[in-house]
Amino acid sequence: MFTGIIEEKGEVVAIEQAGGGAVLSVRGPVVTSDAKHGDSIAVNGVCLTVVEVKDDVFTVDVMRESLDRSSLGGLVQGSPVNLERAVRADQRLGGHIVQGHVDGTAVLLSRDPGERWDDVRFSLPGALSPYVAEKGSIAIDGISLTVTTVDDESFGVSLIPTTLQLTTMGDRRIGDVVNIEVDVIAKYVERLVVRQ
């Protein structure tokens, strides 16, 4: 489990296709400081398992399912990525419950820079629309954010200076594809209601 509070902006140092999936190597001095084989690290919001750590670079296997459901397949050497280690039981939950199980992708539709923050709007895949609510939580590229507006086809968030500076969101442009994970609680509530 993750919190959506990004620990650092890392960099893809290598990506190679392997058996329908990919092997991804990422530089991240903070997340590798105590990482070992089998640990979970979220890369742009996708939970991946560490295979190897060498100096400040960790390597992960990325399954075809993850490539198909996320934007990871579009990464190239040098791509910046958001990184977060799995939360420890003795830590504060600063964002919201983020599983690292990406539900789909969205496209950045508009960006309205303000004096201190940016208002940003993203497309909303129809199948995910019921799970997104105004003032609810959503993870975009692994970043825990609060939904400011929502309709059937899009949703908006506001990005504070810290988010703009310390994550890839500050560099995102109109047309960029991002990973989204809706609030897991909404999915469980729907399943319980449908079963009754």
Side-chain angles (χ1 to χ4, degrees), residues 77-127:
Q77 186 176 358
S79 291
V81 289
N82 295 321
L83 301 175
E84 180 189 1
R85 291 172 286 191
V87 68
R88 293 187 335 233
D90 64 344
Q91 287 179 278
R92 288 188 176 116
L93 183 62
H96 74 282
I97 296 170
V98 178
Q99 295 181 297
H101 304 162
V102 170
D103 293 301
T105 58
V107 176
L108 197 156
L109 300 175
S110 67
R111 185 172 205 125
D112 184 16
E115 187 176 318
R116 300 245 328 126
W117 59 80
D118 288 4
D119 289 320
V120 184
R121 192 149 204 87
F122 294 92
S123 64
L124 180 58

Side-chain angles (χ1 to χ4, degrees), residues 16-33:
E16 59 185 74
Q17 301 306 310
V23 176
L24 182 66
S25 297
V26 180
R27 178 172 288 110
V30 172
V31 299
T32 57
S33 65

Side-chain angles (χ1 to χ4, degrees), residues 152-169:
D152 289 340
E153 298 177 350
S154 65
F155 68 94
V157 295
S158 293
L159 306 175
I160 63 173
T162 299
T163 303
L164 292 169
Q165 293 168 6
L166 300 180
T167 73
T168 58
M169 208 52 64

